[in-house]
Amino acid sequence: MAALQQTFDEVLRRNPGEPEFHQAVREVFDSLQVIQDRHPEYSDAGIITRLCEPERQIIFRVPWVDDQGTVQVNRGFRVEYNSALGPYKGGLRFHPSVNLGIVKFLGFEQIFKNSLTGLPIGGGKGGSDFDPHGKSDDEVMRFCQSFMTELYRHLGEYTDVPAGDIGVGAREIGFLFGQYKRLTNRYEAGVLTGKGLDWGGSLVRKEATGYGAAIFADEMLKARGAGLEGKKASVSGSGNVAIYAIEKVHQLGGTAITASDSSGYVVDENGIDLELLRQIKEVERGRIHEYAERRGEGARFVEGGSVWDVPVEIALPCATQNELDEDAATTLVKNGVLAVSEGANMPSTHEAVQVFREADIAFGPGKAANAGGVATSALEMQQNASRDTWTFEYTEERLTQIMRGIHTTCLETAEEFGRPGDYVLGANVAGFRKVADAMMAFGVI
Ligand code: NDP
């Protein structure tokens, strides 16, 4: 432990004021002692120390003009974290809370997640403190064009391939891709994923992260007896991940009874009406309270408060980091939760994860449970490279197999290292091992 602790102390010293990044590194380090003991050659080669330092970090000014003619300035980031397994791959987040530490935590997680998919993709992440809420389409377009005017020189289908994340959906990817195409004079479809279906996008990409998180919950439950069927689930968020997690829960025979946004949450004991939710959130870009108002009886809106107070058997946190804390985890356990599958990145705090592990709840960490999104992005890259488009059924089948594969890998690795059923350890060790072996092969670079 001494060597790992020393490396962690060094991470704290070299990266001050980045608590989310520290949290993500600590969570991985907690799992690595077992593999360090068996394979001292990794630390001899400085693998862990090198993994903690991004290969490249880009920070840039993003000036744009709003609808009133006023010049606005945001900050853009891209952290190209690790390319041992393939081109840097990871989403862009547009949210006022974005800073370098947030992007580094997300990029660090992405390395292991992408490794777990078994596909040839490295880890990266990016974004800006730009807030798309309340902006006109023209403002979002001008911002995206300015953002890409700097970022394009760092991207390429063999170099770095961004996708969406919080605040970045099909609209933003369209503006970004259009500007990349104009600047480079190349129709390089594989440079961005999450594209529209008419111009190089993949079926199932939009649904993939949410679907994958629900499939992972189903697999965890099946490994302990019976799957999702007939069970109640709570879902947080009402964005891309949450909406399609709800859809897959319903398809698997469960009932998702909640959704939320930063203003509060709704409970609908009859099961969330997906069409209504999509109309409000995807089409009208409205707020979650409108769901309860339009749905009528059986649905209620709770302003503020914690969605995790609602008694359920399955919890799918699909909004943002650290949204589920120790108190919320304790409440979920008290109310009889059986499985927690993280659709968002690091939504459970360190303390919450300890509560779930101590109570022997099936807990799927984000880097395993939400890997379906990036896996389907890699499938989009495959289709772009072969100038082909796959059917929904075929792509969904590939996604399902990948999620089942990740589940099995986590379980088998946890077993191999003497911690049966520990998905956190399984995901961290399996994700790490593949990246470490590739880095060993390349020498010290
Ligand atoms: P969206 O922007 O589509 O939706 C985010 C949702 O979470 C919104 O409902 C938003 O509400 C809510 N939310 C965001 N911040 C907060 C906050 N501080 N407090 C409460 N609610 C909040 O993003 P995605 O669905 O794409 O992403 C959700 C999570 O999933 C993120 O952690 C992301 O990193 C992760 N993820 C996404 C992938 C993808 O493919 N999109 C892939 C893997 C992980 P409001 O509108 O009020 O802000």
Side-chain angles (χ1 to χ4, degrees):
M1 200 67 192
L4 274 175
Q5 184 60 47
Q6 215 173 354
T7 310
F8 186 63
D9 290 344
E10 193 61 7
V11 167
L12 295 181
R13 192 186 64 75
R14 287 165 61 86
N15 303 276
E18 297 178 352
E20 292 86 1
F21 177 58
H22 303 161
Q23 183 183 340
V25 173
R26 177 179 169 201
E27 195 263 333
V28 170
F29 274 29
D30 280 351
S31 301
L32 290 188
Q33 189 60 49
V34 288
I35 192 161
Q36 173 116 318
D37 291 345
R38 283 195 205 175
H39 296 282
E41 66 272 19
Y42 291 140
S43 41
D44 295 345
I47 297 287
I48 297 175
T49 314
R50 279 191 277 154
L51 260 174
C52 292
E53 187 69 17
E55 290 176 13
R56 192 176 297 110
Q57 306 180 58
I58 304 144
I59 304 179
F60 51 101
R61 181 175 67 192
V62 190
W64 56 283
V65 180
D66 68 18
D67 286 347
Q68 284 68 49
T70 306
V71 174
Q72 303 284 345
V73 176
N74 287 98
R75 189 170 290 168
F77 302 89
R78 186 72 184 166
V79 173
E80 298 182 332
Y81 219 117
N82 190 290
S83 59
L85 298 180
Y88 308 107
K89 183 87 198 83
L92 297 171
R93 176 177 292 191
F94 292 169
H95 192 270
S97 64
V98 167
N99 57 41
L100 183 61
I102 297 269
V103 180
K104 277 164 67 181
F105 119 62
L106 290 163
F108 187 74
E109 288 273 296
Q110 198 82 45
I111 304 170
F112 308 102
K113 179 190 309 192
N114 293 5
S115 164
L116 278 173
T117 66
L119 298 164
I121 39 180
K125 199 81 188 188
S128 173
D129 56 0
F130 174 76
D131 185 0
H133 281 119
K135 302 288 192 302
S136 69
D137 285 351
D138 282 350
E139 288 177 321
V140 172
M141 180 184 74
R142 288 195 291 274
F143 172 80
C144 288
Q145 289 176 339
S146 181
F147 184 85
M148 188 53 92
T149 300
E150 171 56 34
L151 191 64
Y152 86 98
R153 67 189 87 247
H154 306 287
L155 306 184
E157 62 177 316
Y158 295 107
T159 310
D160 186 352
V161 183
D165 190 77
I166 291 179
V168 179
R171 175 183 59 169
E172 289 75 15
I173 294 291
F175 293 144
L176 292 164
F177 184 69
Q179 184 72 352
Y180 182 86
K181 188 168 75 63
R182 187 177 185 203
L183 289 166
T184 59
N185 195 31
R186 280 164 63 86
Y187 204 107
E188 192 185 330
V191 75
L192 281 171
T193 58
K195 298 182 293 296
L197 296 177
D198 294 333
W199 40 278
S202 173
L203 287 161
V204 193
R205 174 59 189 94
K206 183 174 66 170
E207 294 85 354
T209 309
Y211 274 21
I215 292 169
F216 201 86
D218 192 44
E219 290 297 308
M220 290 195 297
L221 288 161
K222 280 186 192 153
R224 292 175 170 220
L228 248 161
E229 188 155 13
K231 300 199 170 66
K232 273 190 187 176
S234 57
V235 175
S236 64
S238 48
N240 173 257
V241 179
I243 287 173
Y244 295 99
I246 291 169
E247 182 166 77
K248 187 49 92 179
V249 166
H250 291 173
Q251 287 173 5
L252 292 170
T255 310
I257 59 167
T258 71
S260 72
D261 64 18
S262 50
S263 65
Y265 66 92
V266 290
V267 190
D268 185 344
E269 291 295 343
N270 301 317
I272 293 289
D273 177 339
L274 203 70
E275 249 177 57
L276 177 59
L277 185 67
R278 287 186 58 183
Q279 175 65 26
I280 293 168
K281 283 294 178 178
E282 287 187 342
V283 181
E284 299 168 22
R285 296 179 186 272
R287 304 304 291 161
I288 199 69
H289 66 85
E290 294 168 42
Y291 176 91
E293 285 151 20
R294 281 154 71 170
R295 176 78 156 147
E297 229 163 276
R300 62 194 164 88
F301 171 64
V302 181
E303 197 173 350
S306 168
V307 68
W308 312 120
D309 289 343
V310 181
V312 286
E313 290 140 307
I314 297 135
L316 294 156
C318 296
T320 194
Q321 64 271 2
N322 292 330
E323 54 162 312
L324 199 168
D325 62 14
E326 186 176 8
D327 287 348
T330 308
T331 305
L332 280 168
V333 170
K334 225 182 272 168
N335 286 338
V337 78
L338 302 171
V340 179
S341 182
E342 293 189 326
N345 284 311
M346 212 169 73
S348 311
T349 64
H350 183 73
E351 294 73 23
V353 177
Q354 298 317 313
V355 171
F356 293 138
R357 286 167 108 178
E358 275 158 31
D360 195 28
I361 306 302
F363 175 76
K367 63 172 75 70
N370 73 34
V374 75
T376 308
S377 275
L379 301 183
E380 182 173 331
M381 291 162 73
Q382 279 187 35
Q383 292 169 75
N384 295 150
S386 59
R387 306 264 193 279
D388 199 2
T389 52
W390 301 347
T391 63
F392 192 96
E393 292 69 27
Y394 177 72
T395 316
E396 189 182 18
E397 180 56 26
R398 291 282 306 262
L399 167 67
T400 305
Q401 292 311 328
I402 290 167
M403 292 313 298
R404 289 188 180 146
I406 295 172
H407 176 266
T408 304
T409 300
C410 292
L411 269 192
E412 287 179 355
T413 309
E415 181 93 33
E416 179 189 341
F417 285 89
R419 296 263 284 275
D422 187 339
Y423 290 94
V424 173
L425 183 116
N428 285 334
V429 171
F432 168 81
R433 183 155 54 181
K434 204 162 168 232
V435 178
D437 287 342
M439 289 174 74
M440 294 286 283
F442 299 150
V444 179
I445 52 169

